[in-house]
Amino acid sequence: MNLLLIRLIIFAVLFFAGLQLYRMYREWKLDREAQLPGDSHEEGGQMVRCAWCKVHVPEADALREQGEWFCSSAHRDRFLQEQHPEE
């Protein structure tokens, strides 16, 4: 009976030690992923608003013309046509 109790205690200790090691590994992995450059959450950068349709797009994907941001070249052209209709 004593041998069974000792085995149970050893199993419990090994189980909790393994659980602690897993938690430490998971925390280390999350910290490492957070430190990597080019994090997926900040891939596009700051959001800017299209002057024509008012939709927000990542700055990296937007076009800039005359101090205004645009989501596409078509919206840029339409906006500039309205600004200068005589051309």
Side-chain angles (χ1 to χ4, degrees), residues 35-63:
Q35 291 175 355
L36 290 177
D39 192 7
S40 61
H41 298 296
E42 297 185 19
E43 190 174 289
Q46 184 177 355
M47 299 293 281
V48 293
R49 188 174 75 172
C50 176
W52 176 257
C53 66
K54 311 298 188 227
V55 170
H56 287 84
V57 294
E59 186 176 357
D61 297 337
L63 304 171

Side-chain angles (χ1 to χ4, degrees), residues 22-78:
Y22 172 72
R23 287 179 182 166
M24 288 171 49
Y25 168 74
R26 195 174 76 191
E27 190 174 318
W28 171 80
K29 187 176 177 184
L30 290 174
D31 287 342
R32 186 172 175 210
E33 286 176 358
Q35 291 175 355
L36 290 177
D39 192 7
S40 61
H41 298 296
E42 297 185 19
E43 190 174 289
Q46 184 177 355
M47 299 293 281
V48 293
R49 188 174 75 172
C50 176
W52 176 257
C53 66
K54 311 298 188 227
V55 170
H56 287 84
V57 294
E59 186 176 357
D61 297 337
L63 304 171
R64 187 171 180 134
E65 185 78 32
Q66 297 180 355
E68 299 288 343
W69 291 100
F70 302 96
C71 63
S72 67
S73 59
H75 285 185
R76 178 192 60 203
D77 296 343
R78 291 170 93 184

